[in-house]
Amino acid sequence: MGLVALLGAVVGGPGERIDRMWIGAEIRAGGEARITEVIDYDFAGEERHGVFRNVLDTGAGKARDISVTADGRTVPHLATDAGDATRIRIGDPARTVSGTHRYRITYTLPGFVDGREIGWRAVDGAWDVPIARADVHVTAPFALKHPVCNGDGDGTCTVERPAPGRLAASVGKLDAGDGMRLYADRGAAAGEAVDLPPAPEGAAARVEKGDSALLGWLWATAVALAAAAAVSELLRLAGRDRVKCPDGRTRRMDIRRQDAEIKPSPVPPAGLTPTRAGVLHAGRVKDEHRVAWLLSAARDGHLSIEGRKKPDLQRTPADEGGADADPLTAEVLAALFARKDRVHLGQFQRDFAHAWKLLRDRLDEWRRAGGDGLWLPAGESRRRLALWGGVIVAPLAAIAVGFAASQVTDPGAAWLTPTAVTAALSGAGLAAALRAWELPARTALGSQRWRETEAFRQYLAEPGDEDAPDAFTPWAVALGQAKPWAAALKRAASRQGADGTPRPPEDVRRYRSIKRLTAAALATAVPSSGGGGGGSSSSYNSSHVGGSSSGGG
């Protein structure tokens, strides 16, 4: 957000500009006028030779008797015919200038007054840079009545008549191409001659500059970080789990505090399958949870996993269509073996991909629906609200940050409050989108099962030297402890075999190819642009079994 503000301040900065323009018109008896323009031009760090000034013609002719100075000294200039204007090139072609310089241009303009009304475009809109302020003065040998001035765009124009034959007008903040027009009616001859106020002389006066773009960057960064930190903490507090106290009351507790009180236990959580325990522990469905389901289905006799290099899934004859399976297993098995009783892993299979996705969707639905009382029902709706609210608010507010910060370098602009509000919204929205996962909170029962699962995970992470039961293999995969549990199984197998020859249990053989099984399952579930199973599986990191999710499935 700070970088967005910096970009807005740099891009939206004024760049080259006219800090102040003083224009005086002394109308003479014949209807012509002697014009004096004093222009304080800020080159904003650019290296230029000078400026161009286009003086529009009148119906009576072109500007004449032109003289130019820069910072009170004579400067080279060249006047050329540019169609309906006289183009004055001001500056030395052999030298460049930078910073702020004061240019004074004096010329005579014929046919300034024609008839009973004066209509003068004092700032003619020929400038391609913004003008911070323009002061216009007009004197005439006759009365100037009913004066009116109009500024283009957002330029606010005011006009006064200090004397019957004199007008004083001012306009501020004209954008590039904007101008100002001054109107008045011609009255009777004035009794006394009126002189123009003295024009600014010498070098350009120091003009107040806006704030630094870096200040806008730091301001937006600090506000966005503060808002993001506050929203993140609020979401964390709102998503704390419910825990039942010894006195029977229920209170909220952070899951990290629960973790500190847990000791390893060799007892799996009650009433949960390895797959659902893994989802409860992680708070989402991961690839290893679905691999654990494959191992659980094989252990329960619903399918067999054969082959080490290219595993095959085969429906067992004893399964009888999954009649003895739970509803989830029966539905996934029906999809997995919809057309044949054997699935070769390693190359995309439509039935397997459908079953693999179905398993993830059903587990996700179970979690979102409260997981049989393990999560609070309102947590999922609050998560979606925070997620989508943040996704919508963060980018819109980020755009608003850029616009608000575009005023940072503008002198006198009130940019602090709008930039703070938009940066706070952007930081809060980003935090809501990224931390919405905090909101689904576990019930007291869910917290109890989570503690049991964590205690069992700690046991699987550092198993002892005693015999390791094969039945815990799916649990180790589901809870991300494949490697240490495989090592424990191997140690246990080395002590088995009455004839002195170690015979590792079936799950040890499975574990030696568990990474290959995971990669083959992902390759079978996801189409490969390479056309082969090897190309598909190479796009996934199979080492995610026992760690974080690969996300590819």
Side-chain angles (χ1 to χ4, degrees):
M1 295 307 114
L3 290 174
V4 171
L6 179 63
L7 180 63
V10 172
V11 174
E16 293 186 52
R17 58 183 282 164
I18 295 175
D19 289 330
R20 184 188 178 192
M21 179 180 286
W22 188 97
I23 306 170
E26 184 180 4
I27 302 175
R28 295 172 178 174
E32 65 181 16
R34 186 66 176 169
I35 310 295
T36 301
E37 297 180 359
V38 180
I39 303 158
D40 291 350
Y41 195 99
D42 182 1
F43 291 94
E46 299 291 341
E47 296 287 338
R48 306 293 190 196
H49 293 283
V51 297
F52 288 96
R53 173 71 178 104
N54 293 332
V55 180
L56 298 178
D57 301 342
T58 65
K62 295 181 173 293
R64 66 177 189 273
D65 303 330
I66 300 171
S67 64
V68 180
T69 63
D71 299 325
R73 299 185 297 272
T74 302
V75 64
H77 69 279
L78 177 65
T80 57
D81 187 353
D84 60 350
T86 300
R87 185 173 178 82
I88 308 173
R89 188 188 70 187
I90 305 170
D92 189 343
R95 295 179 55 194
T96 59
V97 293
S98 185
T100 303
H101 296 270
R102 172 169 288 171
Y103 296 95
R104 177 169 177 157
I105 310 170
T106 306
Y107 54 90
T108 299
L109 197 62
F112 190 87
V113 180
D114 185 12
R116 303 295 303 175
E117 185 183 58
I118 298 174
W120 179 35
R121 193 165 176 79
V123 182
D124 55 22
W127 293 99
D128 57 2
V129 296
I131 301 173
R133 177 183 174 85
D135 297 309
V136 179
H137 302 273
V138 179
T139 61
F142 47 79
L144 299 170
K145 301 191 301 181
H146 311 119
V148 176
C149 72
N150 294 321
D152 296 337
D154 296 331
T156 302
C157 188
T158 60
V159 61
E160 298 177 351
R161 193 172 73 145
R166 180 185 166 197
L167 299 180
S170 65
V171 63
K173 291 189 176 181
L174 294 174
D175 291 331
D178 287 347
M180 183 267 276
R181 185 177 291 274
L182 187 62
Y183 300 93
D185 293 334
R186 179 173 181 171
E192 298 180 359
V194 182
D195 296 330
L196 286 171
E201 297 181 350
R206 184 180 182 276
V207 178
E208 178 188 2
K209 300 295 182 182
D211 295 304
S212 168
L214 293 178
L215 180 60
W217 180 15
L218 294 174
W219 175 248
T221 301
V223 173
L225 278 175
V231 171
S232 296
E233 182 64 13
L234 288 174
L235 293 176
R236 187 188 68 81
L237 294 176
R240 288 183 298 177
D241 296 330
R242 274 56 171 176
V243 178
K244 182 170 288 187
C245 302
D247 58 5
R249 293 184 301 172
T250 300
R251 65 186 180 93
R252 295 170 178 244
M253 179 180 288
D254 196 307
I255 194 171
R256 285 171 288 190
R257 290 188 59 187
Q258 296 187 44
D259 192 3
E261 302 171 357
I262 297 172
K263 296 181 180 180
S265 170
V267 181
L272 288 176
T273 64
T275 299
R276 287 182 171 173
V279 175
L280 173 67
H281 189 268
R284 60 191 179 95
V285 181
K286 301 167 71 174
D287 287 335
E288 48 259 46
H289 303 152
R290 291 186 281 180
V291 175
W293 178 88
L294 282 176
L295 294 173
S296 296
R299 172 162 292 281
D300 295 338
H302 301 299
L303 57 84
S304 63
I305 304 175
E306 300 177 356
R308 298 183 61 183
K309 292 185 178 181
K310 290 187 177 181
D312 286 349
L313 305 181
Q314 184 175 1
R315 177 169 248 167
T316 57
D319 180 53
E320 296 294 339
D324 296 332
D326 61 87
L328 172 63
T329 300
E331 183 180 10
V332 177
L333 286 174
L336 180 60
F337 300 109
R339 291 184 290 182
K340 49 187 177 180
D341 291 338
R342 180 184 290 271
V343 176
H344 302 282
L345 300 184
Q347 187 173 1
F348 177 69
Q349 300 283 342
R350 189 173 302 277
D351 289 341
F352 184 88
H354 174 62
W356 198 247
K357 181 179 182 299
L358 178 65
L359 177 59
R360 182 195 63 192
D361 293 343
R362 291 293 182 263
L363 291 172
D364 235 354
E365 291 170 4
W366 172 78
R367 178 185 63 83
R368 294 172 188 270
D372 299 327
L374 301 180
W375 282 278
L376 295 174
E380 181 59 27
S381 59
R382 291 188 298 171
R383 183 195 69 82
R384 288 196 299 266
L385 179 62
L387 173 63
W388 289 108
V391 167
I392 294 172
V393 169
L396 294 179
I399 295 173
V401 167
F403 281 105
S406 66
Q407 303 296 316
V408 170
T409 57
D410 192 359
W415 62 271
L416 282 171
T417 299
T419 304
V421 171
T422 53
L425 287 174
S426 63
L430 190 61
L434 295 179
R435 305 288 292 183
W437 59 269
E438 296 265 19
L439 289 174
R442 297 173 182 85
T443 62
L445 175 62
S447 296
Q448 176 63 30
R449 295 293 178 264
W450 186 92
R451 288 196 296 269
E452 295 171 1
T453 303
E454 173 60 20
F456 189 48
R457 186 200 66 81
Q458 293 181 15
Y459 164 75
L460 297 174
E462 297 181 1
D465 292 334
E466 67 275 6
D467 291 349
D470 291 350
F472 287 172
T473 300
W475 289 95
V477 175
L479 299 180
Q481 304 303 320
K483 290 183 178 180
W485 191 250
L489 286 172
K490 188 175 182 179
R491 290 195 301 269
S494 66
R495 295 192 297 271
Q496 295 177 0
D499 57 358
T501 302
R503 292 195 297 272
E506 177 65 23
D507 284 350
V508 173
R509 292 196 294 272
R510 287 198 189 118
Y511 249 113
R512 288 173 180 170
S513 60
I514 192 65
K515 293 183 180 180
R516 187 176 295 111
L517 172 63
T518 304
L522 293 175
T524 311
V526 181
S528 170
S529 59
S536 179
S537 63
S538 66
S539 64
Y540 296 89
N541 183 1
S542 59
S543 63
H544 282 142
V545 174
S548 61
S549 171
S550 69

